[in-house]
Amino acid sequence: MTKTTVYIGSVDQGTTSSRFLVFDHTGAVVASHQAELKQHYPQAGWHEHDPHDILQTVKKCMNEVAARLDSLGIQLADLKAIGITNQRETTICWDAETGEPLYNAIVWCDARTKAVVDHLTHEHPSQSRDCIKDICGLPLTTYFSGVKLKWMLDNVPAVQQAARQGRLRVGTVDSWLIYHLTGGHSGQGRFVTDVTNASRTMLMDVRTLAWSEELCRFFGVSISALPEIRSSSEVYGHVASGPFAGIPLSGCLGDQQAAMVGQKCFTQGEAKNTYGTGCFMLFNTGTSPVISKHGLLTTVGYQLGPNATPVYALEGSIAVAGAALQWLRDNLGIIASASEIDRIAGAVPDNGGVYFVPAFSGLFAPYWRDDARGCIVGLTHYANKHHIARATLEATCFQTHAILDAMNQDSGVKLLKLKVDGGMTNSDLCMQLQADLAGIPVERPAMRETTALGAAMAAGLAIGIWKDLDELSNVGTSGLQTFQASLKKEERERRFAQWNRAVQRSLDWIEEEAKDL
Ligand SMILES: Nc1ncnc2c1ncn2[C@@H]1O[C@H](COP(=O)(O)OP(=O)(O)O)[C@@H](O)[C@H]1O
Ligand SMILES: O=P(O)(O)OC[C@H](O)CO
């Protein structure tokens, strides 16, 4: 293939928006389009997306980019492959006969399944949240797909009926998109997922990379309703219609794993931290799964080909990162847009003693407390909106610090630098605070679409645009900016201790009778 005329597309379907980007073989973005995704919060703690919106925003982005390529004089025929990357765990049930969703998508950070989690924990002889961790690598919490699916099977009549009649299809967002982009219920739609997405469901055995009969029984799910598990880099099918009809869909990874590939964390011991709606650190642990003893998740990092050896990661997940800035914007009106955060939070030299624990749907790693709710502590007459804005940025930085400590304890490896990406890394102040509060240099690439790049790399690899990881290691390499830690160790430790006291204040907030909220 003559590389100068080769392009690769990438669908990046995130929590707050869908994007389609086209990369050239060097990993440079040649065209892109982004469409916001409507969020639905039908009750406190509930968070849904309309599956039609997910699909339509993706198609809109693809159409817009096709028109842009045309105006740039780029032939659509030169786009050789498309990769898909997506918000993970978000669960969709649909009807195999009509392709229609049977309920809204339940989003990864939705906390309605607290009661399901409690019930399953108490039913298990061990009475432990870690009762299935040895099989799937994950603790029982509201975060993962298995409990969301169980909730739908228990509460949504249309899902129950489809299950009884053998018409139920269940998938994460990758499966929903691939199914519809390859033709849907007309008969051609491919019903597949990749190992990285499957590793977030609590239904896959993290060692065999197959659906676990034991876990499916545990959650009351029939394996026949689940997609086929494939590698992250192979041809799943071809786009059925629209400007890119006929192009192979040949890469698929959950968005955090895609960022890990896009950041080229191919060596054991390398890690990246992606600051989007939530914030997710993935640490490459090599070809064997490591089960965490310090609140981290065991997940598949990538499997770049059907015969390739899977690479595993330890993950530290933070539920609310950029989402807290959106809350400052939409619910408090402290900022008009996320890009204002540096001006507002930078107007004061420190947090003025204010600590904000944005546990809107409980606390994820390393705490795993779904009884926690958000709190702002340390308020005095002196405190103002600037301190709250600063405390909002610091919250993600402190949680990242806690995750770095847990990774160090689990792996014995102390990271020498933190590779970062995602929307919130546009904040210079946040990156400086991160370096200061965690005491680690923070390395930010000029090209921050690393999630989309990772999926494009997997797609290109599958069809031979790049031949191996060595070739990929130069793809998308852009300038780096490093933020150096400048806070004294004693002061860093004092602030982290204050953060930990604030976390204590957020815990055990959900009352017994309201625990299903
Ligand atoms: N200039 C900015 N400074 C700080 N945060 C930002 C900025 N621009 C966007 N964000 C935050 O980044 C998040 C979106 O990042 P993105 O990587 O697109 O996330 P997702 O994939 O979760 O939709 C938003 O929650 C927003 O608050
Ligand atoms: O949409 P993002 O980028 O915040 O990613 C969401 C994660 O995949 C949830 O696990």
Side-chain angles (χ1 to χ4, degrees):
M1 226 173 278
T2 320
K3 286 197 171 163
T4 46
T5 54
V6 166
Y7 300 95
I8 309 99
S10 184
V11 171
D12 179 359
Q13 204 303 300
T15 312
T16 55
S17 72
S18 300
R19 297 182 176 108
F20 185 66
L21 297 93
V22 170
F23 295 90
D24 67 16
H25 76 278
T26 69
V29 179
V30 295
S32 69
H33 190 80
Q34 180 167 6
E36 200 161 319
L37 184 67
K38 191 167 164 41
Q39 310 295 311
H40 301 268
Y41 303 103
Q43 295 188 34
W46 292 34
H47 190 166
E48 299 179 357
H49 290 155
D50 179 342
H52 286 299
D53 272 2
I54 292 177
L55 182 62
Q56 290 317 321
T57 51
V58 165
K59 285 188 171 173
K60 179 177 167 31
C61 292
M62 293 174 82
N63 292 340
E64 293 285 339
V65 167
R68 176 91 189 111
L69 290 179
D70 199 38
S71 71
L72 289 171
I74 293 175
Q75 304 288 319
L76 294 189
D78 289 334
L79 194 128
K80 299 296 179 196
I82 293 176
I84 291 193
T85 178
N86 55 286
Q87 52 168 321
R88 308 164 304 163
E89 301 96 15
T90 298
T91 307
I92 304 175
C93 286
W94 70 94
D95 187 320
E97 283 174 15
T98 63
E100 285 294 309
L102 298 164
Y103 194 72
N104 266 351
I106 300 187
V107 178
W108 57 274
C109 45
D110 180 295
R112 80 183 64 184
T113 51
K114 173 88 180 72
V116 178
V117 167
D118 287 345
H119 175 75
L120 288 170
T121 309
H122 293 136
E123 289 274 285
H124 197 272
S126 72
Q127 304 267 299
S128 161
R129 289 283 161 96
D130 286 343
C131 58
I132 54 173
K133 198 171 176 183
D134 201 46
I135 310 176
C136 63
L138 308 171
L140 253 182
T141 80
T142 58
Y143 180 19
F144 305 107
S145 313
V147 287
K148 299 181 196 300
L149 176 54
K150 180 162 172 52
W151 185 91
M152 287 195 258
L153 286 165
D154 289 346
N155 293 284
V156 182
V159 172
Q160 293 164 344
Q161 194 181 23
R164 271 196 308 275
Q165 298 175 350
R167 289 184 285 109
L168 180 62
R169 293 276 176 277
V170 182
T172 38
V173 168
D174 54 316
S175 298
W176 169 251
L177 289 175
I178 293 174
Y179 178 75
H180 282 285
L181 291 175
T182 55
H185 67 287
S186 65
Q188 308 202 350
R190 300 302 160 94
F191 187 40
V192 296
T193 188
D194 92 299
V195 277
T196 66
N197 276 292
S199 73
R200 314 297 297 184
T201 59
M202 289 200 291
L203 301 172
M204 189 185 85
D205 184 319
V206 77
R207 292 182 181 79
T208 64
L209 306 184
W211 298 123
S212 154
E213 286 183 21
E214 183 180 338
L215 293 179
C216 287
R217 246 193 331 273
F218 185 69
F219 289 105
V221 178
S222 161
I223 290 184
S224 61
L226 301 176
E228 188 186 341
I229 302 175
R230 306 274 285 270
S231 78
S232 315
S233 177
E234 60 179 279
V235 177
Y236 311 106
H238 294 79
V239 179
S241 60
F244 299 112
I247 294 178
L249 291 177
S250 55
C252 179
L253 299 119
D255 55 7
Q256 303 311 321
Q257 284 89 340
M260 186 177 165
V261 171
Q263 288 267 23
K264 286 156 279 183
C265 295
F266 294 137
T267 308
Q268 190 171 344
E270 284 190 299
K272 67 88 207 178
N273 203 26
T274 302
Y275 301 66
T277 306
C279 180
F280 304 87
M281 194 187 304
L282 267 74
F283 175 89
N284 182 328
T285 58
T287 53
S288 316
V290 173
I291 303 293
S292 172
K293 292 190 169 49
H294 299 93
L296 303 178
L297 311 173
T298 304
T299 200
V300 179
Y302 52 84
Q303 186 194 20
L304 296 175
N307 300 316
T309 309
V311 169
Y312 291 87
L314 275 174
E315 173 174 321
S317 328
I318 299 170
V320 174
L325 300 185
Q326 289 170 298
W327 185 78
L328 289 188
R329 183 194 66 188
D330 300 338
N331 297 40
L332 298 191
I334 286 179
I335 49 174
S337 70
S339 58
E340 264 191 18
I341 194 68
D342 280 15
R343 189 172 62 77
I344 301 295
V348 285
D350 55 38
N351 65 15
V354 175
Y355 288 78
F356 175 16
V357 185
F360 297 155
S361 48
L363 279 172
F364 284 10
Y367 316 100
W368 298 111
R369 290 292 294 258
D370 42 25
D371 59 350
R373 283 300 177 268
C375 66
I376 301 178
V377 296
L379 294 174
T380 59
H381 270 299
Y382 173 72
N384 59 35
K385 67 176 183 181
H386 303 289
H387 297 118
I388 294 177
R390 207 170 171 102
T392 308
L393 293 178
E394 290 187 353
T396 301
C397 304
F398 285 127
Q399 287 172 89
T400 294
H401 181 332
I403 288 168
L404 280 169
D405 284 352
M407 283 197 177
N408 181 222
Q409 287 168 305
D410 268 336
S411 66
V413 175
K414 192 160 168 24
L415 284 187
L416 298 177
K417 63 181 179 196
L418 191 59
K419 290 180 168 187
V420 302
D421 54 40
M424 206 173 158
T425 63
N426 287 311
S427 163
D428 287 358
L429 178 58
C430 183
M431 295 300 95
Q432 187 57 52
L433 287 169
Q434 183 64 86
D436 287 344
L437 296 175
I440 186 172
V442 171
E443 199 177 82
R444 181 177 70 179
M447 205 296 280
R448 298 192 201 131
E449 296 289 358
T450 37
T451 300
L453 178 65
M457 285 160 71
L461 195 64
I463 61 151
I465 290 177
W466 301 290
K467 67 175 189 315
D468 54 25
L469 294 190
D470 277 352
E471 259 197 36
L472 284 176
S473 62
N474 294 318
V475 172
T477 303
S478 66
L480 293 171
Q481 186 176 359
T482 303
F483 296 82
Q484 297 290 352
S486 60
L487 205 61
K488 286 211 169 69
K489 185 167 178 275
E490 300 72 45
E491 177 58 11
R492 185 168 71 239
E493 285 173 356
R494 186 191 70 77
R495 294 194 199 179
F496 189 52
Q498 282 293 84
W499 161 260
N500 284 322
R501 291 176 68 206
V503 166
Q504 291 305 314
R505 303 291 192 279
S506 76
L507 302 180
D508 207 9
W509 185 254
I510 294 292
E511 294 172 299
E512 262 321 307
E513 64 270 26
K515 277 194 168 167
D516 55 346
L517 288 185

